[in-house]
Amino acid sequence: MAKYDDLNTRQIFIIGIASVVVTAVTILAVQYVYYLLVDAHKESLQAQSSYNRQNAVLNEQVGSISKYGADPLTGNVTIPISKAMELVAQESQTESDNHSDNAETKDAT
């Protein structure tokens, strides 16, 4: 007489592996659909949004960095950013020339 309490380990193993594969494929499919929906939502949000407030702030900042002025309360002087960059470049060039002159005089002595 056959024993009926034996487990079919081969069938259990195959079903277990198949379950893992189906679960992994399902997870990847759900993740793919999720990211598609997120991208679609971002695109529709960007299409419907306006940046009036941000553009106004940027225009104000551009205006403030491109004009001359002075603050009477603090005494701070403002100059255009392009002029400030030129002055910094000239100053660094002068300093590098001074350093090279000092190095040459030290080498000569």
Side-chain angles (χ1 to χ4, degrees):
M1 195 162 171
K3 291 185 176 182
Y4 293 104
D5 61 347
D6 288 342
L7 296 175
N8 187 352
T9 55
R10 183 174 179 213
Q11 185 178 7
I12 292 172
F13 181 74
I14 290 173
I15 290 174
I17 294 297
S19 298
V20 168
V21 170
V22 168
T23 302
V25 169
T26 303
I27 289 171
L28 291 175
V30 168
Q31 189 176 18
Y32 178 74
V33 170
Y34 170 77
Y35 284 115
L36 281 178
L37 292 174
V38 166
D39 287 341
H41 178 71
K42 282 182 183 177
E43 288 177 10
S44 68
L45 194 63
Q46 287 177 348
Q48 295 172 357
S49 47
S50 67
Y51 299 101
N52 294 333
R53 183 175 52 93
Q54 292 89 341
N55 288 338
V57 169
L58 287 175
N59 288 335
E60 179 184 330
Q61 289 174 348
V62 166
S64 71
I65 65 170
S66 43
K67 66 179 178 181
Y68 289 95
D71 187 2
L73 298 176
T74 61
N76 292 336
V77 177
T78 58
I79 61 173
I81 192 73
S82 58
K83 182 66 176 171
M85 290 189 313
E86 289 174 13
L87 292 173
V88 168
Q90 289 174 358
E91 184 178 311
S92 67
Q93 181 66 33
T94 306
E95 287 179 6
S96 66
D97 289 344
N98 289 341
H99 289 298
S100 64
D101 290 342
N102 289 340
E104 288 174 6
T105 57
K106 287 181 183 177
D107 289 339
T109 55

